[in-house]
Amino acid sequence: MILAPVGRDGAAAAEIVARAGIAAEVCADFLALVGALREDCLAVIATEEGFFGKDLTRLADRVRSQPAWSDIPFIILTSQLPQRRVARWRNDLVTSLGNVTLIERPVQAITLTSSVRAAVRARERQYELRELLGELERGHERFQLIVENARDYAIILSDPEDLITDWLPGASAVFGWSEGDMVGKPVSRIFTPEDRAHGIPEQELERARSDGVAPNIRWHLAKGGARVFIDGQTVSLRNRDGTIRGFMKIGKDITERQRNEERQAVLLAELQHRVRNVLAMVASVVNRGATDGTTAEFRDRLSGRIAAMARTQALLTRGAGVGVELGGLVRDELLAQAADESRVSIVGPEILLAPKAAEVLTLAIHELATNASKYGAVRAPSGRVDVHWSRLSRDGSEWLELVWAESGVRIEPKPDRRKGFGTELVTRRVPYELRGEGELTHDPDGVRCRIAFPLNEGESVLQTDLPIAYRKSKENWV
């Protein structure tokens, strides 16, 4: 852009720069120059006469309002005015325009060409800087967009001493602490007390220093004492000379997935344990069942016992380590024998039985209910079954005492009454497996049974995962 309002100076200058491959626009006056001054203008060539006597305020404002990367060059050809008259004004002009090159006239074409080329090169560097600044700004915006939206990822920057310098929004979302809470604090604050006691934070940093990166997959501490499981890594950040500039810790919050995996592992172990236990119990029921009677009778008895076990297992397999509510267990077994509810009384506090106690007690109640259905109170028109239980304190432990009492049944005394599976189960297996007591008597008006055992979760000798020596030592109860 050329401002040369006097004579043919404008056209001459345009011709000179055109030989250098630079297109020029000649402005007729000062206002035309100000109006045409655009961001893509490479340089301004002007004679002092074009500015002299003009109000430079608008042009100075345009120069000052340039973006940070822009500093448009002005090449000003000095006038023939007396130095005393123009010196101060020229100084103000240079100050107002900033990037000014003064060339004293008369000007050689080679001098003007050289000055314009230098100005154009400088201007091109400014355009390159504009592109770099644009890319940097776009990159910053992308980075900001990522870190502000990646709320499942905790990103923490720290200095060489591992003191936190940047606590990004994802870290606040995962750990609960704000940026103000954590900047300046050691990163080790997010490690659990156990890991800090074992020097895990220091070990992780040492590995990041030596290998560049260290895995960080473990439970961490969040605000308020909660724990979050992080799957991430610590990366060392280095200067150009290789020295440690700091560290970046980035990790994803996978707490829920970790808890599910742990829950699945517990369920799998529980299932494996329960399958072995059930098979062992089935084998025991088959081996110790009475062999007298017909095959059909044996099949019916065996089928009923396995069905009782299945009902208990259905309740126990609702989840890992769940128990069975005693009242429901008794009620289900009696109803399975088609007992008339109006002639049944079930009374007792709510008690949740441990899996082993539930398995053994289910079989015992099943045998009592089956016997009542075939020979006792359930079958007799005027018979009643009263089942009640209570908690007892014995020897510093809490015990359960359950009483099964039938009435309205006439039982003939038989001194040589055969002891079937149910009697053996109550009087021998319950005391042994549940470390308790079991009594079963045939009173004149019905069967009476008392079972008591401590409400502690105990192991069974029928469990196949017990030591062989232990099982063998207990197998003589048959």
Side-chain angles (χ1 to χ4, degrees):
M1 183 174 296
I2 299 171
L3 172 60
V6 179
R8 295 190 64 260
D9 286 351
E15 183 179 347
I16 292 172
V17 298
R19 293 177 197 152
I22 302 170
E25 175 182 347
V26 179
C27 300
D29 55 33
F30 175 74
L31 292 178
L33 171 71
V34 175
L37 201 61
R38 301 182 300 271
E39 192 174 282
D40 60 350
C41 179
L42 294 175
V44 174
I45 303 170
T47 60
E48 278 188 332
E49 295 89 328
F51 294 127
F52 191 74
K54 304 294 188 300
D55 182 1
L56 300 179
T57 304
R58 187 176 171 191
L59 178 60
D61 289 343
R62 293 289 300 272
V63 170
R64 282 196 295 270
S65 64
Q66 295 179 95
W69 58 269
S70 177
D71 189 17
I72 186 169
F74 286 83
I75 299 171
I76 298 178
L77 310 182
T78 59
S79 68
Q80 301 299 320
L81 295 173
Q83 290 299 314
R84 284 187 305 174
R85 182 180 174 190
V86 78
R88 185 172 179 179
W89 170 83
R90 182 181 291 162
N91 184 62
D92 292 342
L93 176 66
V94 170
T95 302
S96 299
L97 301 183
N99 186 2
V100 174
T101 301
L102 294 174
I103 301 178
E104 188 174 350
R105 289 191 290 194
V107 180
Q108 298 292 325
I110 189 171
T111 302
L112 181 61
T113 302
S114 176
S115 298
V116 170
R117 281 177 171 166
V120 168
R121 281 197 298 274
R123 189 61 172 165
E124 289 174 342
R125 298 295 179 272
Q126 292 177 21
Y127 291 148
E128 292 173 3
L129 177 61
R130 178 184 61 181
E131 293 301 316
L132 291 174
L133 289 173
E135 290 179 9
L136 184 62
E137 181 66 21
R138 289 190 290 274
H140 175 73
E141 289 176 354
R142 287 196 297 272
F143 176 74
Q144 190 172 19
L145 187 65
I146 291 171
V147 298
E148 287 182 352
N149 290 280
R151 295 307 179 97
D152 286 344
Y153 284 88
I155 303 175
I156 306 166
L157 301 180
S158 61
D159 66 9
E161 302 302 321
D162 210 28
L163 298 177
I164 297 171
T165 58
D166 296 84
W167 182 262
L168 298 180
S172 295
V174 171
F175 292 104
W177 285 296
S178 67
E179 182 180 9
D181 293 333
M182 296 303 285
V183 169
K185 303 290 192 310
V187 174
S188 60
R189 184 174 180 181
I190 65 172
F191 283 75
T192 63
E194 309 90 85
D195 283 346
R196 287 200 294 267
H198 289 88
I200 299 300
E202 293 79 8
Q203 296 173 24
E204 187 177 298
L205 280 185
E206 186 58 34
R207 183 167 178 181
R209 285 192 184 95
S210 61
D211 299 346
V213 62
N216 179 252
I217 306 171
R218 60 182 66 254
W219 286 101
H220 288 71
L221 195 64
K223 185 177 182 179
R227 302 215 169 186
V228 292
F229 196 90
I230 299 298
D231 184 352
Q233 58 184 9
T234 297
V235 181
S236 62
L237 306 176
R238 295 182 180 276
N239 295 307
R240 290 181 180 275
D241 61 1
T243 57
I244 294 290
R245 182 177 182 177
F247 300 93
M248 177 180 71
K249 182 182 292 295
I250 179 170
K252 180 175 174 57
D253 177 7
I254 59 167
T255 302
E256 192 59 32
R257 190 177 81 187
Q258 179 66 17
R259 291 195 191 284
N260 285 337
E261 289 177 355
E262 292 180 352
R263 197 174 296 120
Q264 290 296 323
V266 171
L267 286 174
L268 179 60
E270 176 80 7
L271 181 61
Q272 292 172 336
H273 166 80
R274 195 161 299 287
V275 167
R276 289 194 297 268
N277 200 29
V278 167
L279 292 175
M281 291 188 71
V282 169
S284 173
V285 168
V286 172
N287 292 333
R288 292 162 187 161
T291 56
D292 56 348
T294 65
T295 302
E297 291 172 339
F298 178 80
R299 182 194 59 200
D300 291 342
R301 286 196 298 271
L302 181 59
S303 176
R305 290 161 185 166
I306 292 177
M309 292 171 55
R311 286 192 289 274
T312 303
Q313 294 304 319
L315 296 174
L316 292 175
T317 51
R318 292 170 298 170
V322 299
V324 174
E325 200 274 319
L326 176 56
L329 182 154
V330 175
R331 191 171 295 104
D332 289 348
E333 289 304 323
L334 277 169
L335 293 180
Q337 300 300 330
D340 182 354
E341 292 188 62
S342 65
R343 293 191 287 122
V344 172
S345 171
I346 302 173
V347 179
E350 182 175 332
I351 292 178
L352 197 64
L353 295 173
K356 173 45 58 185
E359 290 168 348
V360 175
L361 197 58
T362 294
L363 279 178
I365 298 297
H366 171 75
E367 292 302 315
L368 291 169
T370 301
N371 184 74
S373 174
K374 290 182 177 178
Y375 315 109
V378 174
R379 183 183 182 184
S382 59
R384 282 193 58 83
V385 178
D386 296 301
V387 185
H388 63 270
W389 60 87
S390 58
R391 296 176 185 270
L392 303 175
S393 180
R394 292 176 55 176
D395 303 327
S397 300
E398 188 176 36
W399 281 55
L400 165 69
E401 183 181 69
L402 180 144
V403 175
W404 172 290
E406 297 180 23
S407 59
V409 182
R410 182 176 178 77
I411 298 179
E412 297 295 335
K414 291 183 179 180
D416 57 344
R417 188 182 299 276
R418 184 179 63 84
K419 292 184 178 180
F421 179 81
T423 303
E424 191 173 84
L425 184 69
V426 170
T427 60
R428 303 188 65 182
R429 186 167 172 178
V430 168
Y432 171 64
E433 290 212 42
L434 300 183
R435 314 294 193 265
E437 301 165 352
E439 301 168 2
L440 192 148
T441 58
H442 292 79
D443 292 349
D445 62 342
V447 170
R448 182 177 180 82
C449 173
R450 173 182 168 276
I451 296 174
F453 56 88
L455 289 170
N456 298 322
E457 186 171 1
E459 301 291 350
S460 168
V461 292
L462 296 177
Q463 290 178 220
T464 55
D465 54 350
L466 286 181
I468 294 176
Y470 179 79
R471 277 188 279 132
K472 286 184 175 178
S473 70
K474 302 297 183 182
E475 287 177 352
N476 295 327
W477 70 275
V478 178

